[in-house]
Amino acid sequence: MKASTWISAGVAALLLLASSVFVIPEGQTALVLNLGKVVRADLKPGLHFKLPLVESLRRFDRRLQVLAAPAERYLTSERKDVSVDFFAIGKIENVRDFYRATGGDESIAAQRLAPIIKDALRNEINARTLQQVVSGSRADVIGKQLENINIGARNMGVRIVDLRIKQIDLPTDSRVIGDVYSRMRAQRQQVASRL
């Protein structure tokens, strides 16, 4: 055999070997697809092998991710508007379920998780008065609904670890602010007349 034949055979073997070996870094996980079908999932960090040309690899970040949402308007039990700004912290728990539900697209997961979280917050805020929502413990508002949120998120292979309310405001375009200021003026007026 010629030397060029040996070289080309060696290069081909080296390319096959290089396309069959992959490394998963710490903080990531992966799944292996065989012609589009999931054959191995939740691969741990380290060195792994796959069949070249037949199997493909999809990597996912297993670290905590933040899902920020724009401020949302909710009604309290007194039918008063409040504007709630929140964010959720979650991670991929089951890569196989995540891939099946979203095709591996994190933006699709965020779009599907947002209504679940908003509905859970709506249920909790609807059951409270304005006083309880604004001055109460935010952990109480969130703690009761975190379990319900995770039931819905489990179908997507995601687990919400924490949900935080950044800000609770009275909407500027509603009557609530005027009512609050009127009540404050009346209270100050009462104190002033007593003095």
Side-chain angles (χ1 to χ4, degrees), residues 1-23:
M1 287 184 90
K2 288 185 173 181
S4 63
T5 309
W6 282 104
I7 291 174
S8 27
V11 168
L14 191 59
L15 286 174
L16 277 175
L17 180 65
S19 66
S20 66
V21 175
F22 62 94
V23 175

Side-chain angles (χ1 to χ4, degrees), residues 141-155:
V141 174
I142 293 164
K144 293 180 180 178
Q145 294 300 322
L146 196 56
E147 192 174 315
N148 295 336
I149 292 169
N150 278 322
I151 290 170
R154 191 175 300 129
N155 297 333

Side-chain angles (χ1 to χ4, degrees), residues 65-69 86-90 117 160 162-164:
Q65 304 289 322
V66 176
L67 169 68
F86 67 92
F87 65 92
I89 301 170
I117 295 168
I160 302 298
D162 199 6
L163 179 66
R164 293 292 169 150

Side-chain angles (χ1 to χ4, degrees), residues 109-180:
Q111 289 172 358
R112 291 185 182 169
L113 279 173
I116 295 170
I117 295 168
K118 289 176 185 177
D119 287 344
L121 276 177
R122 181 174 291 110
N123 291 340
E124 195 61 36
I125 291 172
N126 286 348
R128 296 172 181 266
T129 64
L130 180 63
Q131 174 85 21
Q132 291 169 333
V133 170
V134 173
S135 64
S137 172
R138 293 181 182 183
D140 290 341
V141 174
I142 293 164
K144 293 180 180 178
Q145 294 300 322
L146 196 56
E147 192 174 315
N148 295 336
I149 292 169
N150 278 322
I151 290 170
R154 191 175 300 129
N155 297 333
M156 287 185 279
V158 176
R159 183 169 65 92
I160 302 298
V161 177
D162 199 6
L163 179 66
R164 293 292 169 150
I165 295 177
K166 293 192 282 189
Q167 190 171 333
I168 300 175
D169 283 332
L170 300 172
T172 56
D173 61 342
S174 71
R175 287 187 2 224
V176 175
I177 290 181
D179 292 346
V180 169

Side-chain angles (χ1 to χ4, degrees), residues 32-65:
V32 176
L33 303 167
N34 186 337
L35 301 174
K37 180 182 173 190
V38 177
V39 289
R40 289 179 300 192
D42 287 325
L43 297 175
K44 305 290 182 220
L47 182 67
H48 298 276
F49 298 95
K50 65 180 178 72
L51 295 174
L53 305 173
V54 177
E55 293 183 338
S56 60
L57 176 72
R58 292 290 306 262
R59 295 174 198 254
F60 300 98
D61 198 350
R62 184 156 258 179
R63 296 175 293 184
L64 294 174
Q65 304 289 322

